[in-house]
């Protein structure tokens, strides 16, 4: 009960002096606000910026540069991931079952060569590097991507016996045979180029298609899968970095005159409250 009386008396004490409290609050607000106004006006009249404005512009420039870099990094890494996933999903090689594939083979012999047999063989082993007709590739391999088709074609040379072997991998027998026929046609076209290095005889030794296994493919598929997982981690890290940059966006400073005026008002108000609280307590002690 005694505490309630003291609080009531204190409130009355403050209320009786509200005019002086308000006056000092306004005076302090005007003083600090006016002081800040003159400082801002002086800087602007001189064609300069205040320290706050200069600091904000510098922070904004840094933020914008960091943001652009972070966004570009995310987009670049997303592109790498998307291309790798597209390759995994559409590559003929990546979609073969290493333990259940068909291999169509044809072996050729180069004989009676006037020039270097090794150079002639090199021309034949590079057959698939040539330009390709999109429709022909689609008909032979089931894809219009010559790069994907080239991955399932292997042309290896045996310099010791001056021969080379064409092997085409596929999930179906018919597809392997079509692919081999396509490569055989390209070899016929390449023969004209090979003869520029020296006359020779190109002879087919044998041809066949059979079920096979592709042991090295398991490792290649695993490698692509691991790279995709690494790419996903990289994208996630880049996105976190981008979020960190976004969170660091500098805020434009408010009107310093208003801010300092409010600060002055608060300080003036608290100062008067403190003074009158002291006088109130001294009276109660008497």
């Amino acid at each position: 009960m005694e505490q309630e009386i003291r609080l009531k008396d204190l409130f009355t004490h403050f209320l009786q002096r509200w005019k002086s409290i308000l006056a000092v609050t306004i005076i302090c607000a005007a003083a600090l606000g006016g002081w800040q106004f003159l400082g801002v006006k002086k800087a602007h009249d001189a064609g300069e910026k205040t320290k706050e404005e200069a600091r904000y512009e510098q922070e904004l420039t840094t933020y914008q540069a960091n943001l652009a870099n972070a966004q570009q990094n995310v987009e670049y890494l997303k592109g790498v991931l998307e291309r790798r996933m597209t390759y995994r999903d559409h590559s003929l090689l990546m979609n073969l079952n290493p333990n259940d594939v068909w291999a169509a083979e044809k072996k050729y012999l180069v004989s009676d060569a006037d020039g270097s047999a090794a150079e002639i063989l090199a021309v034949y082993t590079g057959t698939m590097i040539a330009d390709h007709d999109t429709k022909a590739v689609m008909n032979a391999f089931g894809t219009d991507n010559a790069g994907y088709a080239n991955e399932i074609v292997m042309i290896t040379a045996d310099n010791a016996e001056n021969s080379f072997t064409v092997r085409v991998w596929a999930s179906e027998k018919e597809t392997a045979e079509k692919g081999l026929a396509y490569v055989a046609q390209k070899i016929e076209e390449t023969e004209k180029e090979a003869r520029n290095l020296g006359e020779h005889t190109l002879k087919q030794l044998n041809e066949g298609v059979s079920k096979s296994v592709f042991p090295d493919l398991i490792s290649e598929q695993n490698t692509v899968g691991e790279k995709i997982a690494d790419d996903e981690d990289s994208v996630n890290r880049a996105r976190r970095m981008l979020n960190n940059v976004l969170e660091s966006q500098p805020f434009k400073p408010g009107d310093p005159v208003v801010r300092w005026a409010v600060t002055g008002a608060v300080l003036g108000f608290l100062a008067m409250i403190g003074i009158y609280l002291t006088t109130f307590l001294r009276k109660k002690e008497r």
Side-chain angles (χ1 to χ4, degrees), residues 142-159:
T143 179
D144 60 1
N145 189 317
Y148 291 160
N150 193 28
E151 284 188 318
I152 61 171
V153 175
M154 183 182 300
I155 306 178
T156 56
D158 185 338
N159 291 321

Side-chain angles (χ1 to χ4, degrees), residues 234-253:
S234 296
V235 170
N236 289 333
R237 285 195 299 271
R239 283 174 173 163
R240 286 195 294 270
M241 291 180 64
L242 175 58
N243 289 335
N244 291 338
V245 172
L246 290 171
E247 291 175 358
S248 69
Q249 180 177 3
F251 291 98
K252 188 174 182 179

Side-chain angles (χ1 to χ4, degrees), residues 58-75:
Q58 182 177 4
E59 290 176 350
L60 183 61
T61 298
T62 301
Y63 165 77
Q64 290 172 338
N66 291 340
L67 179 61
N69 290 335
Q71 290 173 330
Q72 290 174 2
N73 192 38
V74 169
E75 292 304 313

